[in-house]
Amino acid sequence: MDMASIPSLVVCLLPLSYLFFLIWKIIDGKRHKNCYILDYQCYKPTDDRMLTTKSSGDLIWRNKNLGLNEYKFLLKAIVSAGIGEQTYGPRVVLEGREEVASHQDAIVEMEEFFYDTIDNVLERQHISPSEIDVLVVNISMFAPMPSLSARIVNHYKMRPDTKVYNLSGMGCSASLISVNLVQNMFKTHKNLYALVLTSESLSPNWYSGNDKSMILTNCLFRSGGCAILLTNKVALKQKAMFKLKCLVRTHHGAKDESYGCCIQQEDEQGRTGFLLQKSLPKAATQAFVDNLKEITPKILPIRELVRHGIVSLYHKLQARWSSTKGGARTGINFKTGVDHFCIHTGGKAVINGIGQSLNLSEHDLEPARMTLHRFGNTSAGSLWYVLSYMEAKKRLKKGDRVFMISFGAGFKCNSCLWEVVRDLEDANVWEDCINAYPPKTLINPFLDKYGWLQNEDPATFTPPQDFYRQSAN
């Protein structure tokens, strides 16, 4: 090669090399922006915290603010709630101190959850607490000073440069908010470990009044939570369990009716509780519809979107040409892009409503129904118990897509889609009972034990000394 031509060759190669560098940088950047779940651990409290029929009856009986009408209301609510006898409550309630719960009671409740789940997930992955780069804690109804996240940093002696976030007041949909926060961190920083802690503190928030809209929460909410270990390390993608495909958050707080449909406030006697308004189903539906409008194009194949558009147009034209009002319903088939549905266990009505809206089968709804029965509504942690049920039943295979949907005060609806990276079959908290699910019946024994209340006369009713008695007596 002529030496004189070398400078010309270099001049020609420099732009090409720079172009290749830019392409590589873009590709490499996208690889590091991915969000993976490396591991997760749901919390299973000890058996002495189990809210059986007996302990629930004792709890209701010692609340002197309740009368026969409230007893009947609670009986109807808990019988229709879809909750079984093995859910867990805070220790302060089972010890009869719910009206005088202390700050320390709430701290101990959270510490039992934190240290059990964090120790398990870090030990399984052989990761030291000092390797955690991002810590996100979401406990909606308990915000001490220093924060709960600071308490974890202190206990595990985490690095001083760990990015720490403490979320409160975000409600049942908070875990996906936490995941979204981590996802955004991953977009700007490479090779991170992130730990998300999601739960709710019931110890200082058990309602002891007689407002029916507030005592309803006592029938649904139970103790639980989850620790989730996430990463964007490319080297660990084959070891990961799930890859986040997309996440959408919808917030209707600007609407007064939605904002106030589930809100913490004091009753007429000054007792603090969580109020569930009659407008809640409407607010949830509106948020759900708006959320689906945004996430549907992101998770379903184009062929299904086109099919739905054509069918919808046909029925609209048909309705216009005929005298028939309305027209046939043209539902979109979510199963064309989703294999499993992970639904927030907000209650039996929530599960049924989503199932009907998305045209889901009983097989699709089984994980949510069984989770509600076994663990109750564990607030922001509930999604992960549902996910764990699917894994314990060995439903999650490589390449499957899992759709998560959750609701929360504000009012919020958050959803996301995960891709299963490898075949999963860890039983997690279901290990000792998964073979018993689904049970032959979900009917709980409350009606058998307390059905005699329905025949009592308010004018002559006197609660028995032993509230837990057979209806035959």
Short mmCIF file of all heavy atoms in Angstrom, two decimals, residues 294-356:
data_model
loop_
_atom_site.label_atom_id
_atom_site.label_comp_id
_atom_site.label_asym_id
_atom_site.label_seq_id
_atom_site.Cartn_x
_atom_site.Cartn_y
_atom_site.Cartn_z
N GLU A 294 -54.09 2.45 27.62
CA GLU A 294 -52.69 2.79 27.39
C GLU A 294 -51.80 1.56 27.24
O GLU A 294 -50.89 1.53 26.41
CB GLU A 294 -52.15 3.66 28.53
CG GLU A 294 -50.74 4.15 28.29
CD GLU A 294 -50.25 5.12 29.35
OE1 GLU A 294 -51.07 5.56 30.18
OE2 GLU A 294 -49.04 5.42 29.36
N ILE A 295 -52.07 0.53 28.06
CA ILE A 295 -51.15 -0.61 28.04
C ILE A 295 -51.50 -1.65 26.98
O ILE A 295 -50.62 -2.37 26.50
CB ILE A 295 -51.09 -1.31 29.43
CG1 ILE A 295 -49.82 -2.16 29.52
CG2 ILE A 295 -52.35 -2.14 29.70
CD1 ILE A 295 -49.51 -2.68 30.90
N THR A 296 -52.76 -1.70 26.56
CA THR A 296 -53.18 -2.72 25.58
C THR A 296 -52.36 -2.70 24.29
O THR A 296 -51.87 -3.75 23.83
CB THR A 296 -54.68 -2.57 25.26
OG1 THR A 296 -55.44 -2.82 26.44
CG2 THR A 296 -55.10 -3.54 24.18
N PRO A 297 -52.13 -1.53 23.66
CA PRO A 297 -51.32 -1.52 22.43
C PRO A 297 -49.88 -1.96 22.65
O PRO A 297 -49.19 -2.33 21.69
CB PRO A 297 -51.38 -0.05 21.97
CG PRO A 297 -52.56 0.54 22.68
CD PRO A 297 -52.64 -0.18 23.97
N LYS A 298 -49.43 -1.93 23.90
CA LYS A 298 -48.04 -2.28 24.20
C LYS A 298 -47.84 -3.76 24.45
O LYS A 298 -46.71 -4.25 24.39
CB LYS A 298 -47.55 -1.48 25.41
CG LYS A 298 -47.59 0.02 25.22
CD LYS A 298 -47.13 0.75 26.47
CE LYS A 298 -47.18 2.26 26.29
NZ LYS A 298 -46.72 3.00 27.49
N ILE A 299 -48.93 -4.48 24.76
CA ILE A 299 -48.76 -5.88 25.16
C ILE A 299 -49.45 -6.87 24.23
O ILE A 299 -49.15 -8.07 24.31
CB ILE A 299 -49.26 -6.10 26.61
CG1 ILE A 299 -50.77 -5.90 26.71
CG2 ILE A 299 -48.51 -5.21 27.58
CD1 ILE A 299 -51.33 -6.22 28.09
N LEU A 300 -50.35 -6.39 23.37
CA LEU A 300 -51.06 -7.32 22.49
C LEU A 300 -50.50 -7.25 21.06
O LEU A 300 -50.03 -6.20 20.62
CB LEU A 300 -52.55 -7.00 22.47
CG LEU A 300 -53.30 -7.15 23.80
CD1 LEU A 300 -54.80 -6.99 23.59
CD2 LEU A 300 -53.00 -8.50 24.47
N PRO A 301 -50.56 -8.35 20.34
CA PRO A 301 -50.06 -8.36 18.95
C PRO A 301 -50.92 -7.48 18.05
O PRO A 301 -52.11 -7.28 18.29
CB PRO A 301 -50.16 -9.84 18.56
CG PRO A 301 -51.19 -10.42 19.47
CD PRO A 301 -51.05 -9.67 20.77
N ILE A 302 -50.29 -6.99 16.99
CA ILE A 302 -50.98 -6.09 16.06
C ILE A 302 -52.21 -6.77 15.45
O ILE A 302 -53.24 -6.13 15.24
CB ILE A 302 -50.01 -5.62 14.96
CG1 ILE A 302 -48.90 -4.76 15.56
CG2 ILE A 302 -50.76 -4.85 13.87
CD1 ILE A 302 -47.87 -4.30 14.57
N ARG A 303 -52.09 -8.06 15.18
CA ARG A 303 -53.22 -8.76 14.53
C ARG A 303 -54.48 -8.70 15.40
O ARG A 303 -55.59 -8.58 14.87
CB ARG A 303 -52.85 -10.20 14.23
CG ARG A 303 -52.64 -11.08 15.46
CD ARG A 303 -52.30 -12.52 15.07
NE ARG A 303 -52.21 -13.39 16.23
CZ ARG A 303 -51.13 -13.53 16.99
NH1 ARG A 303 -50.03 -12.84 16.69
NH2 ARG A 303 -51.13 -14.34 18.02
N GLU A 304 -54.33 -8.77 16.72
CA GLU A 304 -55.49 -8.70 17.61
C GLU A 304 -56.05 -7.29 17.66
O GLU A 304 -57.28 -7.10 17.69
CB GLU A 304 -55.11 -9.18 19.01
CG GLU A 304 -56.21 -9.01 20.07
CD GLU A 304 -57.50 -9.75 19.73
OE1 GLU A 304 -57.47 -10.69 18.90
OE2 GLU A 304 -58.55 -9.36 20.28
N LEU A 305 -55.18 -6.29 17.64
CA LEU A 305 -55.64 -4.90 17.65
C LEU A 305 -56.40 -4.58 16.36
O LEU A 305 -57.44 -3.92 16.39
CB LEU A 305 -54.44 -3.97 17.81
CG LEU A 305 -53.62 -4.13 19.10
CD1 LEU A 305 -52.40 -3.22 19.06
CD2 LEU A 305 -54.46 -3.83 20.33
N VAL A 306 -55.87 -5.08 15.23
CA VAL A 306 -56.54 -4.86 13.94
C VAL A 306 -57.88 -5.59 13.92
O VAL A 306 -58.90 -5.04 13.48
CB VAL A 306 -55.64 -5.34 12.78
CG1 VAL A 306 -56.42 -5.30 11.47
CG2 VAL A 306 -54.39 -4.48 12.69
N ARG A 307 -57.89 -6.85 14.38
CA ARG A 307 -59.14 -7.62 14.41
C ARG A 307 -60.20 -6.92 15.25
O ARG A 307 -61.36 -6.78 14.84
CB ARG A 307 -58.88 -9.02 15.00
CG ARG A 307 -60.13 -9.92 15.02
CD ARG A 307 -60.03 -10.99 16.10
NE ARG A 307 -60.06 -10.43 17.43
CZ ARG A 307 -61.18 -10.08 18.07
NH1 ARG A 307 -62.35 -10.20 17.47
NH2 ARG A 307 -61.11 -9.57 19.29
N HIS A 308 -59.79 -6.45 16.42
CA HIS A 308 -60.72 -5.77 17.31
C HIS A 308 -61.25 -4.49 16.67
O HIS A 308 -62.45 -4.18 16.77
CB HIS A 308 -60.03 -5.44 18.64
CG HIS A 308 -60.89 -4.65 19.58
ND1 HIS A 308 -62.01 -5.17 20.18
CD2 HIS A 308 -60.78 -3.37 20.02
CE1 HIS A 308 -62.56 -4.25 20.96
NE2 HIS A 308 -61.83 -3.16 20.87
N GLY A 309 -60.36 -3.76 15.99
CA GLY A 309 -60.78 -2.52 15.34
C GLY A 309 -61.80 -2.77 14.24
O GLY A 309 -62.80 -2.05 14.12
N ILE A 310 -61.56 -3.80 13.44
CA ILE A 310 -62.47 -4.13 12.34
C ILE A 310 -63.83 -4.59 12.86
O ILE A 310 -64.88 -4.14 12.38
CB ILE A 310 -61.85 -5.20 11.43
CG1 ILE A 310 -60.61 -4.65 10.72
CG2 ILE A 310 -62.87 -5.71 10.42
CD1 ILE A 310 -59.84 -5.69 9.93
N VAL A 311 -63.81 -5.47 13.86
CA VAL A 311 -65.06 -5.98 14.44
C VAL A 311 -65.85 -4.86 15.10
O VAL A 311 -67.08 -4.77 14.96
CB VAL A 311 -64.77 -7.11 15.44
CG1 VAL A 311 -66.05 -7.52 16.16
CG2 VAL A 311 -64.16 -8.30 14.74
N SER A 312 -65.15 -3.98 15.81
CA SER A 312 -65.83 -2.85 16.46
C SER A 312 -66.49 -1.94 15.43
O SER A 312 -67.63 -1.50 15.61
CB SER A 312 -64.83 -2.06 17.30
OG SER A 312 -64.29 -2.84 18.33
N LEU A 313 -65.76 -1.65 14.36
CA LEU A 313 -66.31 -0.80 13.30
C LEU A 313 -67.53 -1.45 12.66
O LEU A 313 -68.54 -0.78 12.39
CB LEU A 313 -65.23 -0.53 12.25
CG LEU A 313 -65.66 0.32 11.05
CD1 LEU A 313 -66.11 1.70 11.51
CD2 LEU A 313 -64.52 0.44 10.05
N TYR A 314 -67.45 -2.76 12.43
CA TYR A 314 -68.57 -3.48 11.82
C TYR A 314 -69.82 -3.38 12.68
O TYR A 314 -70.91 -3.11 12.18
CB TYR A 314 -68.17 -4.93 11.61
CG TYR A 314 -69.34 -5.81 11.18
CD1 TYR A 314 -69.83 -5.78 9.88
CD2 TYR A 314 -69.96 -6.66 12.10
CE1 TYR A 314 -70.90 -6.57 9.50
CE2 TYR A 314 -71.03 -7.45 11.73
CZ TYR A 314 -71.50 -7.41 10.43
OH TYR A 314 -72.57 -8.18 10.06
N HIS A 315 -69.67 -3.59 13.98
CA HIS A 315 -70.83 -3.55 14.87
C HIS A 315 -71.39 -2.13 15.00
O HIS A 315 -72.61 -1.95 15.14
CB HIS A 315 -70.45 -4.11 16.24
CG HIS A 315 -70.34 -5.60 16.28
ND1 HIS A 315 -71.38 -6.44 15.96
CD2 HIS A 315 -69.29 -6.42 16.58
CE1 HIS A 315 -70.99 -7.71 16.07
NE2 HIS A 315 -69.71 -7.71 16.45
N LYS A 316 -70.53 -1.14 14.94
CA LYS A 316 -71.01 0.24 15.00
C LYS A 316 -71.84 0.57 13.75
O LYS A 316 -72.90 1.20 13.85
CB LYS A 316 -69.83 1.21 15.11
CG LYS A 316 -69.18 1.24 16.48
CD LYS A 316 -68.02 2.23 16.51
CE LYS A 316 -67.37 2.26 17.89
NZ LYS A 316 -66.21 3.21 17.94
N LEU A 317 -71.34 0.15 12.60
CA LEU A 317 -72.08 0.38 11.36
C LEU A 317 -73.38 -0.41 11.34
O LEU A 317 -74.42 0.08 10.89
CB LEU A 317 -71.21 0.00 10.15
CG LEU A 317 -69.96 0.86 9.92
CD1 LEU A 317 -69.13 0.28 8.79
CD2 LEU A 317 -70.35 2.30 9.63
N GLN A 318 -73.32 -1.63 11.85
CA GLN A 318 -74.51 -2.47 11.89
C GLN A 318 -75.58 -1.85 12.79
O GLN A 318 -76.77 -1.87 12.46
CB GLN A 318 -74.14 -3.87 12.39
CG GLN A 318 -75.28 -4.88 12.29
CD GLN A 318 -74.85 -6.25 12.80
OE1 GLN A 318 -74.25 -6.37 13.87
NE2 GLN A 318 -75.16 -7.29 12.02
N ALA A 319 -75.13 -1.30 13.92
CA ALA A 319 -76.07 -0.67 14.84
C ALA A 319 -76.68 0.59 14.22
O ALA A 319 -77.84 0.91 14.46
CB ALA A 319 -75.37 -0.34 16.15
N ARG A 320 -75.89 1.29 13.42
CA ARG A 320 -76.37 2.53 12.79
C ARG A 320 -77.40 2.22 11.70
O ARG A 320 -78.39 2.94 11.55
CB ARG A 320 -75.19 3.29 12.20
CG ARG A 320 -75.59 4.61 11.54
CD ARG A 320 -74.37 5.32 10.96
NE ARG A 320 -73.39 5.64 12.00
CZ ARG A 320 -72.20 6.21 11.74
NH1 ARG A 320 -71.87 6.50 10.49
NH2 ARG A 320 -71.37 6.48 12.72
N TRP A 321 -77.17 1.12 10.98
CA TRP A 321 -78.06 0.78 9.87
C TRP A 321 -79.35 0.11 10.35
O TRP A 321 -80.38 0.20 9.69
CB TRP A 321 -77.35 -0.16 8.89
CG TRP A 321 -76.22 0.51 8.18
CD1 TRP A 321 -76.08 1.83 7.91
CD2 TRP A 321 -75.04 -0.12 7.67
NE1 TRP A 321 -74.91 2.09 7.28
CE2 TRP A 321 -74.23 0.90 7.09
CE3 TRP A 321 -74.57 -1.43 7.62
CZ2 TRP A 321 -73.01 0.64 6.49
CZ3 TRP A 321 -73.36 -1.69 7.02
CH2 TRP A 321 -72.58 -0.67 6.47
N SER A 322 -79.27 -0.57 11.49
CA SER A 322 -80.46 -1.27 12.00
C SER A 322 -81.16 -0.42 13.04
O SER A 322 -80.66 0.62 13.48
CB SER A 322 -80.05 -2.62 12.59
OG SER A 322 -79.26 -2.42 13.76
N SER A 323 -82.32 -0.86 13.45
CA SER A 323 -83.08 -0.14 14.47
C SER A 323 -82.67 -0.53 15.87
O SER A 323 -83.14 0.04 16.86
CB SER A 323 -84.59 -0.42 14.29
OG SER A 323 -84.84 -1.82 14.37
N THR A 324 -81.80 -1.53 15.99
CA THR A 324 -81.36 -2.00 17.29
C THR A 324 -80.43 -0.99 17.94
O THR A 324 -79.48 -0.51 17.33
CB THR A 324 -80.61 -3.35 17.17
OG1 THR A 324 -81.44 -4.26 16.47
CG2 THR A 324 -80.28 -3.90 18.55
N LYS A 325 -80.71 -0.69 19.21
CA LYS A 325 -79.87 0.26 19.94
C LYS A 325 -78.66 -0.45 20.51
O LYS A 325 -78.73 -1.60 20.93
CB LYS A 325 -80.67 0.93 21.07
CG LYS A 325 -81.79 1.83 20.58
CD LYS A 325 -82.46 2.50 21.76
CE LYS A 325 -83.57 3.44 21.27
NZ LYS A 325 -84.25 4.13 22.40
N GLY A 326 -77.58 0.26 20.57
CA GLY A 326 -76.37 -0.28 21.18
C GLY A 326 -75.56 -1.09 20.21
O GLY A 326 -74.80 -0.56 19.40
N GLY A 327 -75.78 -2.39 20.20
CA GLY A 327 -74.98 -3.26 19.34
C GLY A 327 -74.26 -4.31 20.17
O GLY A 327 -74.21 -4.23 21.40
N ALA A 328 -73.70 -5.29 19.51
CA ALA A 328 -73.02 -6.38 20.22
C ALA A 328 -71.73 -5.88 20.86
O ALA A 328 -71.07 -4.99 20.36
CB ALA A 328 -72.72 -7.51 19.25
N ARG A 329 -71.40 -6.50 22.00
CA ARG A 329 -70.16 -6.15 22.69
C ARG A 329 -68.97 -6.77 21.95
O ARG A 329 -69.00 -7.95 21.59
CB ARG A 329 -70.22 -6.67 24.12
CG ARG A 329 -69.00 -6.29 24.95
CD ARG A 329 -69.12 -6.84 26.35
NE ARG A 329 -67.93 -6.55 27.12
CZ ARG A 329 -67.71 -6.98 28.36
NH1 ARG A 329 -68.63 -7.72 28.95
NH2 ARG A 329 -66.61 -6.67 29.00
N THR A 330 -67.96 -6.00 21.74
CA THR A 330 -66.78 -6.48 21.00
C THR A 330 -65.56 -6.45 21.91
O THR A 330 -64.79 -5.50 21.92
CB THR A 330 -66.54 -5.60 19.76
OG1 THR A 330 -66.38 -4.24 20.18
CG2 THR A 330 -67.70 -5.70 18.80
N GLY A 331 -65.41 -7.49 22.71
CA GLY A 331 -64.30 -7.55 23.64
C GLY A 331 -63.00 -7.89 22.95
O GLY A 331 -62.97 -8.61 21.94
N ILE A 332 -61.92 -7.38 23.50
CA ILE A 332 -60.59 -7.68 22.96
C ILE A 332 -60.05 -8.91 23.67
O ILE A 332 -60.31 -9.12 24.86
CB ILE A 332 -59.65 -6.47 23.13
CG1 ILE A 332 -58.42 -6.62 22.25
CG2 ILE A 332 -59.26 -6.26 24.59
CD1 ILE A 332 -57.65 -5.33 22.08
N ASN A 333 -59.34 -9.75 22.98
CA ASN A 333 -58.83 -11.01 23.54
C ASN A 333 -57.44 -10.81 24.11
O ASN A 333 -56.44 -10.83 23.38
CB ASN A 333 -58.82 -12.09 22.45
CG ASN A 333 -58.43 -13.44 23.01
OD1 ASN A 333 -58.24 -13.60 24.22
ND2 ASN A 333 -58.31 -14.43 22.14
N PHE A 334 -57.35 -10.62 25.42
CA PHE A 334 -56.05 -10.38 26.06
C PHE A 334 -55.17 -11.61 26.06
O PHE A 334 -53.95 -11.51 26.22
CB PHE A 334 -56.26 -9.87 27.48
CG PHE A 334 -56.52 -8.40 27.56
CD1 PHE A 334 -57.81 -7.90 27.37
CD2 PHE A 334 -55.50 -7.50 27.79
CE1 PHE A 334 -58.06 -6.54 27.41
CE2 PHE A 334 -55.74 -6.14 27.84
CZ PHE A 334 -57.02 -5.65 27.64
N LYS A 335 -55.77 -12.77 25.87
CA LYS A 335 -54.98 -13.99 25.90
C LYS A 335 -54.11 -14.15 24.66
O LYS A 335 -53.27 -15.06 24.60
CB LYS A 335 -55.90 -15.20 26.08
CG LYS A 335 -56.59 -15.24 27.43
CD LYS A 335 -57.42 -16.50 27.60
CE LYS A 335 -58.13 -16.50 28.95
NZ LYS A 335 -58.94 -17.72 29.15
N THR A 336 -54.29 -13.28 23.68
CA THR A 336 -53.41 -13.32 22.51
C THR A 336 -52.03 -12.78 22.83
O THR A 336 -51.07 -13.03 22.10
CB THR A 336 -54.01 -12.51 21.35
OG1 THR A 336 -54.23 -11.15 21.79
CG2 THR A 336 -55.34 -13.10 20.91
N GLY A 337 -51.90 -12.03 23.92
CA GLY A 337 -50.61 -11.48 24.30
C GLY A 337 -50.22 -11.74 25.74
O GLY A 337 -49.12 -11.37 26.16
N VAL A 338 -51.10 -12.40 26.49
CA VAL A 338 -50.86 -12.66 27.91
C VAL A 338 -51.16 -14.13 28.21
O VAL A 338 -52.18 -14.67 27.78
CB VAL A 338 -51.74 -11.76 28.80
CG1 VAL A 338 -51.53 -12.10 30.27
CG2 VAL A 338 -51.45 -10.29 28.54
N ASP A 339 -50.26 -14.76 28.97
CA ASP A 339 -50.46 -16.17 29.34
C ASP A 339 -51.02 -16.33 30.73
O ASP A 339 -51.75 -17.29 31.01
CB ASP A 339 -49.13 -16.93 29.24
CG ASP A 339 -48.54 -16.88 27.84
OD1 ASP A 339 -49.14 -17.50 26.94
OD2 ASP A 339 -47.50 -16.21 27.65
N HIS A 340 -50.67 -15.40 31.64
CA HIS A 340 -51.10 -15.51 33.03
C HIS A 340 -51.51 -14.12 33.54
O HIS A 340 -50.89 -13.11 33.20
CB HIS A 340 -49.97 -16.06 33.90
CG HIS A 340 -49.36 -17.33 33.37
ND1 HIS A 340 -49.95 -18.57 33.49
CD2 HIS A 340 -48.21 -17.53 32.68
CE1 HIS A 340 -49.19 -19.48 32.91
NE2 HIS A 340 -48.12 -18.87 32.42
N PHE A 341 -52.52 -14.11 34.41
CA PHE A 341 -53.06 -12.86 34.93
C PHE A 341 -52.87 -12.82 36.44
O PHE A 341 -53.42 -13.63 37.18
CB PHE A 341 -54.54 -12.72 34.57
CG PHE A 341 -54.77 -12.63 33.09
CD1 PHE A 341 -54.85 -13.78 32.31
CD2 PHE A 341 -54.89 -11.39 32.47
CE1 PHE A 341 -55.05 -13.70 30.94
CE2 PHE A 341 -55.09 -11.30 31.09
CZ PHE A 341 -55.17 -12.46 30.33
N CYS A 342 -52.07 -11.85 36.88
CA CYS A 342 -51.74 -11.68 38.29
C CYS A 342 -52.55 -10.51 38.82
O CYS A 342 -52.19 -9.34 38.64
CB CYS A 342 -50.24 -11.43 38.43
SG CYS A 342 -49.62 -11.56 40.11
N ILE A 343 -53.67 -10.81 39.50
CA ILE A 343 -54.65 -9.79 39.89
C ILE A 343 -54.55 -9.48 41.37
O ILE A 343 -54.46 -10.38 42.21
CB ILE A 343 -56.07 -10.28 39.55
CG1 ILE A 343 -56.19 -10.60 38.05
CG2 ILE A 343 -57.11 -9.26 39.95
CD1 ILE A 343 -57.45 -11.34 37.68
N HIS A 344 -54.58 -8.20 41.69
CA HIS A 344 -54.57 -7.75 43.09
C HIS A 344 -55.76 -8.34 43.83
O HIS A 344 -56.90 -8.29 43.38
CB HIS A 344 -54.62 -6.22 43.13
CG HIS A 344 -54.91 -5.66 44.49
ND1 HIS A 344 -54.17 -5.98 45.59
CD2 HIS A 344 -55.87 -4.79 44.92
CE1 HIS A 344 -54.64 -5.33 46.65
NE2 HIS A 344 -55.67 -4.63 46.26
N THR A 345 -55.51 -8.91 45.01
CA THR A 345 -56.56 -9.56 45.80
C THR A 345 -57.28 -8.55 46.68
O THR A 345 -57.35 -8.69 47.90
CB THR A 345 -55.96 -10.69 46.67
OG1 THR A 345 -54.97 -10.14 47.54
CG2 THR A 345 -55.33 -11.75 45.80
N GLY A 346 -57.84 -7.52 46.05
CA GLY A 346 -58.56 -6.49 46.79
C GLY A 346 -59.87 -6.97 47.38
O GLY A 346 -60.46 -6.32 48.23
N GLY A 347 -60.34 -8.12 46.93
CA GLY A 347 -61.60 -8.69 47.40
C GLY A 347 -62.21 -9.55 46.32
O GLY A 347 -61.78 -9.51 45.15
N LYS A 348 -63.19 -10.32 46.69
CA LYS A 348 -63.84 -11.21 45.74
C LYS A 348 -64.46 -10.44 44.58
O LYS A 348 -64.38 -10.84 43.43
CB LYS A 348 -64.91 -12.02 46.46
CG LYS A 348 -65.55 -13.12 45.65
CD LYS A 348 -66.52 -13.91 46.50
CE LYS A 348 -67.20 -15.03 45.69
NZ LYS A 348 -68.15 -15.79 46.55
N ALA A 349 -65.06 -9.28 44.90
CA ALA A 349 -65.71 -8.46 43.87
C ALA A 349 -64.69 -7.92 42.87
O ALA A 349 -64.97 -7.82 41.68
CB ALA A 349 -66.49 -7.32 44.51
N VAL A 350 -63.50 -7.55 43.36
CA VAL A 350 -62.44 -7.03 42.49
C VAL A 350 -62.00 -8.10 41.50
O VAL A 350 -61.88 -7.86 40.29
CB VAL A 350 -61.23 -6.54 43.32
CG1 VAL A 350 -60.07 -6.18 42.40
CG2 VAL A 350 -61.62 -5.35 44.17
N ILE A 351 -61.76 -9.31 42.02
CA ILE A 351 -61.32 -10.42 41.16
C ILE A 351 -62.39 -10.76 40.13
O ILE A 351 -62.09 -10.94 38.94
CB ILE A 351 -60.98 -11.64 42.03
CG1 ILE A 351 -59.81 -11.31 42.97
CG2 ILE A 351 -60.62 -12.85 41.16
CD1 ILE A 351 -59.54 -12.38 44.02
N ASN A 352 -63.65 -10.83 40.57
CA ASN A 352 -64.74 -11.16 39.65
C ASN A 352 -64.89 -10.08 38.58
O ASN A 352 -65.13 -10.38 37.40
CB ASN A 352 -66.05 -11.30 40.42
CG ASN A 352 -66.10 -12.56 41.27
OD1 ASN A 352 -65.30 -13.48 41.07
ND2 ASN A 352 -67.00 -12.61 42.22
N GLY A 353 -64.76 -8.81 39.00
CA GLY A 353 -64.92 -7.70 38.06
C GLY A 353 -63.88 -7.70 36.97
O GLY A 353 -64.19 -7.52 35.78
N ILE A 354 -62.61 -7.92 37.35
CA ILE A 354 -61.54 -7.97 36.36
C ILE A 354 -61.70 -9.19 35.46
O ILE A 354 -61.50 -9.12 34.24
CB ILE A 354 -60.17 -7.99 37.06
CG1 ILE A 354 -59.93 -6.66 37.79
CG2 ILE A 354 -59.05 -8.24 36.05
CD1 ILE A 354 -58.64 -6.61 38.56
N GLY A 355 -62.09 -10.30 36.06
CA GLY A 355 -62.29 -11.51 35.28
C GLY A 355 -63.36 -11.33 34.22
O GLY A 355 -63.20 -11.78 33.07
N GLN A 356 -64.44 -10.66 34.60
CA GLN A 356 -65.52 -10.42 33.65
C GLN A 356 -65.09 -9.43 32.56
O GLN A 356 -65.39 -9.62 31.38
CB GLN A 356 -66.76 -9.89 34.39
CG GLN A 356 -67.98 -9.70 33.50
CD GLN A 356 -69.19 -9.26 34.28
OE1 GLN A 356 -69.11 -8.98 35.47
NE2 GLN A 356 -70.33 -9.17 33.62
#
